[in-house]
Amino acid sequence: MSVDQGQSPRPIDQCRDVQDVLDQIRLRPSMWIRQGCLRDLQNILIGYATALSVHGVDEPFTLSPGGPFAEWLCARRGWSMSCGWADAIERHAGGEDPLLVFFHLLDEYRSACGSEP
């Protein structure tokens, strides 16, 4: 599932879950991740997961560095996840923008697993 390219950005307080947040990041990546470093996105998501836990919010979350997305990526691509999925994607991006590779892989993961992050 990808974001409709005609979709307009909206304020973060109108996002209902991590999927909505990722959709906003995909629309304006340089606003969220200043230098396009995928590890910065992973850190944002770690903070998101921490906030869910601290506030007792029951929301499925698969994007922790060693979570289901990383396990799927390891099984699908055979990449080591010892430093998390962001590092693995950056190391294997092959000259492509790691952030674009991430969103492509995330779409693939959702399709394969029928899962939201």
Side-chain angles (χ1 to χ4, degrees), residues 59-70:
E59 177 183 321
F61 188 83
T62 63
L63 295 170
S64 58
F69 175 69

Side-chain angles (χ1 to χ4, degrees), residues 6-72:
Q7 183 178 2
S8 299
R10 59 181 197 227
I12 194 71
D13 64 353
Q14 292 180 8
C15 293
R16 32 181 186 110
D17 58 19
V18 72
Q19 178 55 50
D20 281 354
V21 172
L22 286 168
D23 288 346
Q24 295 308 303
I25 292 171
R26 190 186 303 224
L27 285 172
R28 297 186 296 179
S30 61
M31 183 182 129
W32 293 87
I33 305 157
R34 296 180 50 121
Q35 296 185 1
C37 178
L38 196 51
R39 288 181 209 148
D40 289 346
L41 175 58
Q42 183 172 273
N43 288 335
I44 289 169
L45 294 171
I46 290 169
Y48 187 95
T50 301
L52 291 175
S53 179
V54 166
H55 295 286
V57 177
D58 184 23
E59 177 183 321
F61 188 83
T62 63
L63 295 170
S64 58
F69 175 69
E71 292 170 357
W72 173 85

Side-chain angles (χ1 to χ4, degrees), residues 39 42 65-67 70-71 73-74 78-89 91-92:
R39 288 181 209 148
Q42 183 172 273
E71 292 170 357
L73 200 52
C74 179
W79 298 343
S80 169
M81 293 294 130
S82 62
C83 294
W85 53 260
D87 179 72
I89 293 170
R91 281 186 286 113
H92 294 93

